[in-house]
Amino acid sequence: MLFDTHVHLNDSQYAEDLEVVIQNAKEAGVSNMVVVGFDRPTITKAMELVETYEFLYASVGWHPVDAIDMTEQDLAWIEQLAKHPKVVALGEMGLDYHWDKSPKYIQKDVFRKQIRLAKKVKLPIIIHNREATQDIVDILKEEDAKEVGGIMHCFSGSTEVAKECIDMNFFISLGGPVTFKNAKKPKEVASEIPLSHLLIETDCPYLAPHPYRGKRNEPAYVKLVAEQIAMIKGIPLEEVAKITNRNAKRLFGIDC
């Protein structure tokens, strides 16, 4: 059974056919998913979903692009939600230097505050990184994020950076890009990083794997990610599914 560690079923793109999407996932062998909330509306919707569906879990946090909008009240709300039995992580959080909505110094401050909160509530963190690798690694070290660990979400960096993150108690999560023909780095990571440190995800509705690239992604397609990793490693799909599922449940504290 497959565990999709990063979905946005709380996105409006699923408003019309959520039940169909969930059924597709089940038929593809997806047993569990983590719905990621990253601002007020998406966190609220994520919590509604996990209350409705037994096999869904939530991660709550504040996205770096919108860091400028986060208030102390929002942080206190996230802390309160962290007590919910189906909230298994904080995030996605991190740094995003591609968009310029939130100044870098504000992104860094909000990132640090969420790491400290995660350590307080004893939950792992889910890291969003776009064009900010070195600053993210530096902050994780400075804030001793190793204490809680977490996930390098939709990892696109080098094997060397992956190993550095693993040393800080983080799992490397691969998504749709590992299936792209010219995605050299994700394929190298899939080849060189032991399965014991890998997770799989879709980041749906974004980053759909081949042959659906450019279309709306959905959790059922996480099987294509797992198949690609299995092919690269020369092992059965069942082994990838079993070990990444076990990794996710151990990280999130979900009883197997």
Side-chain angles (χ1 to χ4, degrees), residues 144-165:
D144 194 25
K146 184 176 184 178
E147 184 181 316
V148 290
I151 301 175
M152 305 307 291
H153 146 62
C154 208
F155 188 79
S156 60
S158 66
T159 303
E160 290 73 27
V161 172
K163 290 176 179 176
E164 197 172 359
C165 295

PDB file of all heavy atoms in Angstrom, residues 144-165:
ATOM      1  N   ASP A 144      18.576  23.701  15.236  1.00  0.00           N
ATOM      2  CA  ASP A 144      18.634  22.314  15.701  1.00  0.00           C
ATOM      3  C   ASP A 144      17.351  21.553  15.357  1.00  0.00           C
ATOM      4  O   ASP A 144      16.752  20.872  16.183  1.00  0.00           O
ATOM      5  CB  ASP A 144      18.883  22.268  17.219  1.00  0.00           C
ATOM      6  CG  ASP A 144      19.295  20.872  17.693  1.00  0.00           C
ATOM      7  OD1 ASP A 144      19.843  20.105  16.869  1.00  0.00           O
ATOM      8  OD2 ASP A 144      19.056  20.557  18.869  1.00  0.00           O
ATOM      9  N   ALA A 145      16.953  21.686  14.087  1.00  0.00           N
ATOM     10  CA  ALA A 145      15.740  21.005  13.615  1.00  0.00           C
ATOM     11  C   ALA A 145      15.892  19.492  13.655  1.00  0.00           C
ATOM     12  O   ALA A 145      14.891  18.761  13.571  1.00  0.00           O
ATOM     13  CB  ALA A 145      15.400  21.460  12.199  1.00  0.00           C
ATOM     14  N   LYS A 146      17.106  19.017  13.794  1.00  0.00           N
ATOM     15  CA  LYS A 146      17.356  17.577  13.895  1.00  0.00           C
ATOM     16  C   LYS A 146      16.546  16.959  15.027  1.00  0.00           C
ATOM     17  O   LYS A 146      16.196  15.775  14.986  1.00  0.00           O
ATOM     18  CB  LYS A 146      18.848  17.330  14.113  1.00  0.00           C
ATOM     19  CG  LYS A 146      19.244  15.871  14.138  1.00  0.00           C
ATOM     20  CD  LYS A 146      20.755  15.720  14.250  1.00  0.00           C
ATOM     21  CE  LYS A 146      21.178  14.256  14.166  1.00  0.00           C
ATOM     22  NZ  LYS A 146      22.650  14.102  14.220  1.00  0.00           N
ATOM     23  N   GLU A 147      16.229  17.761  16.029  1.00  0.00           N
ATOM     24  CA  GLU A 147      15.476  17.285  17.194  1.00  0.00           C
ATOM     25  C   GLU A 147      14.125  16.699  16.805  1.00  0.00           C
ATOM     26  O   GLU A 147      13.658  15.730  17.409  1.00  0.00           O
ATOM     27  CB  GLU A 147      15.282  18.451  18.170  1.00  0.00           C
ATOM     28  CG  GLU A 147      14.600  18.082  19.471  1.00  0.00           C
ATOM     29  CD  GLU A 147      14.425  19.267  20.381  1.00  0.00           C
ATOM     30  OE1 GLU A 147      15.383  20.056  20.527  1.00  0.00           O
ATOM     31  OE2 GLU A 147      13.325  19.415  20.956  1.00  0.00           O
ATOM     32  N   VAL A 148      13.489  17.290  15.770  1.00  0.00           N
ATOM     33  CA  VAL A 148      12.180  16.782  15.326  1.00  0.00           C
ATOM     34  C   VAL A 148      12.251  16.104  13.958  1.00  0.00           C
ATOM     35  O   VAL A 148      11.434  15.246  13.641  1.00  0.00           O
ATOM     36  CB  VAL A 148      11.112  17.906  15.291  1.00  0.00           C
ATOM     37  CG1 VAL A 148      10.753  18.338  16.699  1.00  0.00           C
ATOM     38  CG2 VAL A 148      11.572  19.090  14.448  1.00  0.00           C
ATOM     39  N   GLY A 149      13.232  16.513  13.126  1.00  0.00           N
ATOM     40  CA  GLY A 149      13.335  15.934  11.790  1.00  0.00           C
ATOM     41  C   GLY A 149      12.144  16.279  10.924  1.00  0.00           C
ATOM     42  O   GLY A 149      11.377  17.197  11.227  1.00  0.00           O
ATOM     43  N   GLY A 150      12.011  15.548   9.829  1.00  0.00           N
ATOM     44  CA  GLY A 150      10.890  15.822   8.947  1.00  0.00           C
ATOM     45  C   GLY A 150      11.134  15.395   7.524  1.00  0.00           C
ATOM     46  O   GLY A 150      11.795  14.381   7.270  1.00  0.00           O
ATOM     47  N   ILE A 151      10.626  16.198   6.585  1.00  0.00           N
ATOM     48  CA  ILE A 151      10.639  15.840   5.165  1.00  0.00           C
ATOM     49  C   ILE A 151      11.166  17.003   4.330  1.00  0.00           C
ATOM     50  O   ILE A 151      10.704  18.139   4.477  1.00  0.00           O
ATOM     51  CB  ILE A 151       9.221  15.509   4.670  1.00  0.00           C
ATOM     52  CG1 ILE A 151       8.607  14.348   5.459  1.00  0.00           C
ATOM     53  CG2 ILE A 151       9.230  15.173   3.177  1.00  0.00           C
ATOM     54  CD1 ILE A 151       7.160  14.061   5.096  1.00  0.00           C
ATOM     55  N   MET A 152      12.084  16.690   3.440  1.00  0.00           N
ATOM     56  CA  MET A 152      12.460  17.632   2.393  1.00  0.00           C
ATOM     57  C   MET A 152      11.502  17.357   1.236  1.00  0.00           C
ATOM     58  O   MET A 152      11.684  16.413   0.458  1.00  0.00           O
ATOM     59  CB  MET A 152      13.916  17.438   1.977  1.00  0.00           C
ATOM     60  CG  MET A 152      14.913  17.517   3.124  1.00  0.00           C
ATOM     61  SD  MET A 152      14.774  19.017   4.147  1.00  0.00           S
ATOM     62  CE  MET A 152      15.346  20.258   2.979  1.00  0.00           C
ATOM     63  N   HIS A 153      10.449  18.163   1.191  1.00  0.00           N
ATOM     64  CA  HIS A 153       9.323  17.950   0.281  1.00  0.00           C
ATOM     65  C   HIS A 153       9.713  18.202  -1.174  1.00  0.00           C
ATOM     66  O   HIS A 153      10.381  19.167  -1.497  1.00  0.00           O
ATOM     67  CB  HIS A 153       8.182  18.864   0.742  1.00  0.00           C
ATOM     68  CG  HIS A 153       7.309  19.439  -0.305  1.00  0.00           C
ATOM     69  ND1 HIS A 153       6.545  18.658  -1.138  1.00  0.00           N
ATOM     70  CD2 HIS A 153       7.043  20.725  -0.632  1.00  0.00           C
ATOM     71  CE1 HIS A 153       5.839  19.456  -1.933  1.00  0.00           C
ATOM     72  NE2 HIS A 153       6.130  20.698  -1.657  1.00  0.00           N
ATOM     73  N   CYS A 154       9.309  17.261  -2.031  1.00  0.00           N
ATOM     74  CA  CYS A 154       9.547  17.345  -3.471  1.00  0.00           C
ATOM     75  C   CYS A 154      10.996  17.751  -3.747  1.00  0.00           C
ATOM     76  O   CYS A 154      11.278  18.734  -4.433  1.00  0.00           O
ATOM     77  CB  CYS A 154       8.577  18.324  -4.121  1.00  0.00           C
ATOM     78  SG  CYS A 154       8.260  17.906  -5.845  1.00  0.00           S
ATOM     79  N   PHE A 155      11.899  16.962  -3.224  1.00  0.00           N
ATOM     80  CA  PHE A 155      13.320  17.292  -3.249  1.00  0.00           C
ATOM     81  C   PHE A 155      13.849  17.356  -4.681  1.00  0.00           C
ATOM     82  O   PHE A 155      13.615  16.457  -5.490  1.00  0.00           O
ATOM     83  CB  PHE A 155      14.103  16.239  -2.455  1.00  0.00           C
ATOM     84  CG  PHE A 155      15.550  16.584  -2.262  1.00  0.00           C
ATOM     85  CD1 PHE A 155      15.934  17.498  -1.302  1.00  0.00           C
ATOM     86  CD2 PHE A 155      16.521  15.997  -3.052  1.00  0.00           C
ATOM     87  CE1 PHE A 155      17.268  17.819  -1.123  1.00  0.00           C
ATOM     88  CE2 PHE A 155      17.862  16.312  -2.888  1.00  0.00           C
ATOM     89  CZ  PHE A 155      18.232  17.231  -1.916  1.00  0.00           C
ATOM     90  N   SER A 156      14.578  18.437  -4.971  1.00  0.00           N
ATOM     91  CA  SER A 156      15.128  18.616  -6.317  1.00  0.00           C
ATOM     92  C   SER A 156      16.625  18.909  -6.295  1.00  0.00           C
ATOM     93  O   SER A 156      17.213  19.236  -7.323  1.00  0.00           O
ATOM     94  CB  SER A 156      14.409  19.772  -7.034  1.00  0.00           C
ATOM     95  OG  SER A 156      14.576  20.988  -6.318  1.00  0.00           O
ATOM     96  N   GLY A 157      17.231  18.774  -5.111  1.00  0.00           N
ATOM     97  CA  GLY A 157      18.642  19.093  -4.973  1.00  0.00           C
ATOM     98  C   GLY A 157      19.555  17.924  -5.308  1.00  0.00           C
ATOM     99  O   GLY A 157      19.126  16.880  -5.800  1.00  0.00           O
ATOM    100  N   SER A 158      20.826  18.123  -4.999  1.00  0.00           N
ATOM    101  CA  SER A 158      21.845  17.119  -5.300  1.00  0.00           C
ATOM    102  C   SER A 158      21.856  15.998  -4.271  1.00  0.00           C
ATOM    103  O   SER A 158      21.286  16.134  -3.174  1.00  0.00           O
ATOM    104  CB  SER A 158      23.222  17.784  -5.322  1.00  0.00           C
ATOM    105  OG  SER A 158      23.561  18.236  -4.022  1.00  0.00           O
ATOM    106  N   THR A 159      22.521  14.925  -4.626  1.00  0.00           N
ATOM    107  CA  THR A 159      22.688  13.806  -3.684  1.00  0.00           C
ATOM    108  C   THR A 159      23.464  14.261  -2.463  1.00  0.00           C
ATOM    109  O   THR A 159      23.170  13.830  -1.337  1.00  0.00           O
ATOM    110  CB  THR A 159      23.422  12.642  -4.385  1.00  0.00           C
ATOM    111  OG1 THR A 159      22.679  12.260  -5.537  1.00  0.00           O
ATOM    112  CG2 THR A 159      23.547  11.445  -3.459  1.00  0.00           C
ATOM    113  N   GLU A 160      24.426  15.151  -2.662  1.00  0.00           N
ATOM    114  CA  GLU A 160      25.236  15.645  -1.531  1.00  0.00           C
ATOM    115  C   GLU A 160      24.363  16.399  -0.531  1.00  0.00           C
ATOM    116  O   GLU A 160      24.486  16.197   0.681  1.00  0.00           O
ATOM    117  CB  GLU A 160      26.354  16.561  -2.052  1.00  0.00           C
ATOM    118  CG  GLU A 160      27.454  15.849  -2.826  1.00  0.00           C
ATOM    119  CD  GLU A 160      27.014  15.387  -4.207  1.00  0.00           C
ATOM    120  OE1 GLU A 160      26.084  16.008  -4.797  1.00  0.00           O
ATOM    121  OE2 GLU A 160      27.587  14.392  -4.715  1.00  0.00           O
ATOM    122  N   VAL A 161      23.478  17.253  -1.028  1.00  0.00           N
ATOM    123  CA  VAL A 161      22.570  17.987  -0.143  1.00  0.00           C
ATOM    124  C   VAL A 161      21.597  17.017   0.523  1.00  0.00           C
ATOM    125  O   VAL A 161      21.283  17.148   1.712  1.00  0.00           O
ATOM    126  CB  VAL A 161      21.807  19.090  -0.909  1.00  0.00           C
ATOM    127  CG1 VAL A 161      20.722  19.712  -0.031  1.00  0.00           C
ATOM    128  CG2 VAL A 161      22.773  20.168  -1.388  1.00  0.00           C
ATOM    129  N   ALA A 162      21.129  16.036  -0.228  1.00  0.00           N
ATOM    130  CA  ALA A 162      20.225  15.028   0.342  1.00  0.00           C
ATOM    131  C   ALA A 162      20.875  14.340   1.539  1.00  0.00           C
ATOM    132  O   ALA A 162      20.242  14.163   2.591  1.00  0.00           O
ATOM    133  CB  ALA A 162      19.836  14.002  -0.718  1.00  0.00           C
ATOM    134  N   LYS A 163      22.126  13.960   1.393  1.00  0.00           N
ATOM    135  CA  LYS A 163      22.838  13.292   2.483  1.00  0.00           C
ATOM    136  C   LYS A 163      23.015  14.214   3.683  1.00  0.00           C
ATOM    137  O   LYS A 163      22.920  13.781   4.840  1.00  0.00           O
ATOM    138  CB  LYS A 163      24.188  12.784   1.984  1.00  0.00           C
ATOM    139  CG  LYS A 163      24.063  11.614   1.013  1.00  0.00           C
ATOM    140  CD  LYS A 163      25.407  11.181   0.464  1.00  0.00           C
ATOM    141  CE  LYS A 163      25.263   9.989  -0.491  1.00  0.00           C
ATOM    142  NZ  LYS A 163      26.552   9.615  -1.107  1.00  0.00           N
ATOM    143  N   GLU A 164      23.237  15.495   3.409  1.00  0.00           N
ATOM    144  CA  GLU A 164      23.365  16.475   4.487  1.00  0.00           C
ATOM    145  C   GLU A 164      22.052  16.582   5.259  1.00  0.00           C
ATOM    146  O   GLU A 164      22.045  16.681   6.490  1.00  0.00           O
ATOM    147  CB  GLU A 164      23.747  17.832   3.885  1.00  0.00           C
ATOM    148  CG  GLU A 164      24.295  18.824   4.875  1.00  0.00           C
ATOM    149  CD  GLU A 164      24.851  20.077   4.205  1.00  0.00           C
ATOM    150  OE1 GLU A 164      24.826  20.172   2.958  1.00  0.00           O
ATOM    151  OE2 GLU A 164      25.311  20.972   4.952  1.00  0.00           O
ATOM    152  N   CYS A 165      20.941  16.553   4.544  1.00  0.00           N
ATOM    153  CA  CYS A 165      19.621  16.620   5.186  1.00  0.00           C
ATOM    154  C   CYS A 165      19.317  15.341   5.964  1.00  0.00           C
ATOM    155  O   CYS A 165      18.743  15.400   7.062  1.00  0.00           O
ATOM    156  CB  CYS A 165      18.544  16.878   4.140  1.00  0.00           C
ATOM    157  SG  CYS A 165      18.678  18.492   3.333  1.00  0.00           S
TER     158      CYS A 165
END
